Amino acid sequence: TGVWQEFGEMKFQTKEDVPAEWGNPDTTKPRWVVTRYVPWTSWKAGAQQWGLSSVRQGENSGTITHEIAHLTFRIGDNNNNPYVEPYRRVGSGPWDLMDRGSFNGPGGPHRRWVVPASEGAFMPAGLMLRSRIMLGFVRPESVLALNRNGLARSGLVVATVVARAVEPGPGALAGITVALDGDAPQDRTPACDIARDPLCAGAPNWNYYSLEVVQRIGYDSFTPDGGVLIAKNKIKPDNSCGYGCFTWVIDAHPEDIKMADFKRPDGTPVMRTIADYRQLNDALFHAGLNSASQYEWEDTPNRLHFYVIDVHKDAAGVLSYTVGVRSLDWQPGAGSQARGVALAAPAGQKLAGPAGFVNFTLKNTGAAGATDPSLHPRDATAYLSADIYRLSVSVDRPEWSAQLQNALAAVKFGESMSVPVYVTRAPGSAGSAAVTLKAASESDASKTATATWTVSAGASKR
């Protein structure tokens, strides 16, 4: 499959342009052949056997790994055909060995034919969390298992998840799952038509969400990004996506990526189809503002809200993210926790020059309470000890500006954290301005706090 495009439409303008040396030795036959994916290729590129459960010599290593996983672990494909209409979005794309993550490597899909196999598909992605759980590749205690209905009673959860390419240490999490439990239909996503909507995920029969972290190390070295990977999953695969699907990545950028796939021999660019697996290259969620991605995602029909709150690296450079999830059906006062928030403006700091930053202090004035440990598949009490706050900042002078690194903050009950606010002023601006920070609890919108810092060009005061 790695040669059909490369030595077909990428090399020859039309099928009639295939020269004799690339054609059928029987000159009475066409010099081109039909393929499983693209409409045609040169006879020589299509002459090799495909299928019949065999692995050909010179096959790229990613495809071999993918095929061995079928045989050894009895996992099906989670991929599509991106070249035929009606277009249907890929399931998990570059993030999963059982999708086109098997193509990951230098040069991408169009360099899979190189021998030795040192370019495209040289280093396939790992398995996504659903498959790793199913196969026992992660310990049960390394996955925080939650229920949607449990979240509606326990309150929101905050946890830190480590990159999936490393073995999580004691007490660390490899991922989070959230079961869509409750009365039927458990998946309340509105129905869509895969024949009309290329982004349709098929029948609304997904069973649970998963969150995991991708870092470009180890088997994820050639994934296109690092960040938080959110997906919905099925316990049993089916064909409702238009192919055998069991994991559907939530795309932080569902719009067309608008990037070229290749150039025809005459130089005409051919764009990636909406079904191309590389449409998910920008699917990961990132922490913070101006990160080139999103930091939260809400599934309103299924009453869940996911947060990407902060990013960390340990001394060895291993990535982890603080993430959160809450039920939209949570009602303030439903749980045993008391919610509250306080903000304090900085004191005694000066703004030297046209720009600088100051630290406000954000405190969780709420209090933890006892929670029924049976609300979730495993006791989640340790992850119910914080609140998530939404932050916003304003300044009262148009010549001055104030910005935040992050619109979200997670603080444990009774604890405090610094919130940096970056301030700039234009030449000739007013001598002073009032910078106001606001924090609102995501658990109880009535719990808010504000603090104002009055800043001047050469000095500051509270």
Side-chain angles (χ1 to χ4, degrees), residues 189-416:
T189 307
C192 55
D193 185 351
I194 61 173
R196 296 176 178 272
D197 180 5
L199 305 186
C200 175
N205 58 0
W206 299 89
N207 301 118
Y208 65 96
Y209 274 96
S210 60
L211 283 83
E212 57 194 295
V213 170
V214 177
Q215 182 179 8
R216 286 182 282 189
I217 57 175
Y219 55 71
D220 280 332
S221 292
F222 291 103
T223 52
D225 193 11
V228 176
L229 182 56
I230 303 175
K232 51 186 180 181
N233 306 273
K234 296 179 183 179
I235 297 171
K236 293 184 179 181
D238 64 29
N239 292 315
S240 68
C241 303
Y243 52 92
C245 58
F246 49 80
T247 293
W248 186 267
V249 166
I250 303 303
D251 191 353
H253 292 280
E255 66 277 6
D256 191 336
I257 203 168
K258 294 183 178 178
M259 295 186 72
D261 185 8
F262 63 90
K263 289 185 178 180
R264 297 194 187 279
D266 67 357
T268 303
V270 176
M271 306 302 287
R272 299 174 189 177
T273 72
I274 196 66
D276 191 294
Y277 80 95
R278 292 165 294 173
Q279 292 283 353
L280 293 185
N281 280 3
D282 56 0
L284 298 188
F285 290 77
H286 299 164
L289 297 163
N290 302 316
S291 70
S293 191
Q294 306 299 316
Y295 53 83
E296 61 185 333
W297 189 76
E298 183 176 295
D299 181 350
T300 306
N302 281 309
R303 314 303 296 152
L304 291 171
H305 193 137
F306 299 91
Y307 303 88
V308 178
I309 302 167
D310 207 353
V311 59
H312 322 274
K313 276 191 177 180
D314 67 12
V318 175
L319 194 68
S320 61
Y321 275 82
T322 298
V323 296
V325 58
R326 74 179 177 99
S327 166
L328 298 179
D329 290 331
W330 161 266
Q331 296 296 322
S336 57
Q337 304 100 331
R339 304 291 176 174
V341 59
L343 273 173
Q349 292 178 268
K350 295 182 179 181
L351 183 66
F357 75 93
V358 293
N359 286 308
F360 286 71
T361 301
L362 171 66
K363 183 174 183 179
N364 184 341
T365 60
T371 302
D372 183 353
S374 68
L375 290 177
H376 298 285
R378 285 191 290 276
D379 187 1
T381 302
Y383 305 97
L384 300 171
S385 60
D387 203 355
I388 298 173
Y389 299 100
R390 190 171 298 273
L391 307 174
S392 59
V393 67
S394 61
V395 62
D396 69 345
R397 296 288 186 180
E399 308 90 354
W400 292 72
S401 66
Q403 294 181 327
L404 294 166
Q405 280 184 317
N406 202 330
L408 301 173
V411 188
K412 290 186 175 182
F413 294 116
E415 296 187 6
S416 300

Side-chain angles (χ1 to χ4, degrees), residues 148 181-188 204 302:
R148 175 177 55 191
D181 60 341
D183 297 333
Q186 291 176 333
D187 183 358
R188 298 159 193 166
N302 281 309

Side-chain angles (χ1 to χ4, degrees), residues 2-19:
V3 299
W4 292 340
Q5 267 196 312
E6 286 71 12
F7 300 102
E9 61 181 339
M10 291 174 63
K11 189 174 182 65
F12 311 110
Q13 188 67 24
T14 70
K15 58 189 178 184
E16 286 75 24
D17 294 324
V18 176

Side-chain angles (χ1 to χ4, degrees), residues 129 132-133 135-145 162 166-175 378:
L129 187 60
R132 287 187 289 141
I133 292 172
L135 296 171
F137 290 173
V138 291
R139 299 184 305 274
E141 63 270 22
S142 295
V143 178
L144 176 57
V162 70
V166 302
E167 178 71 16
L173 292 178
R378 285 191 290 276

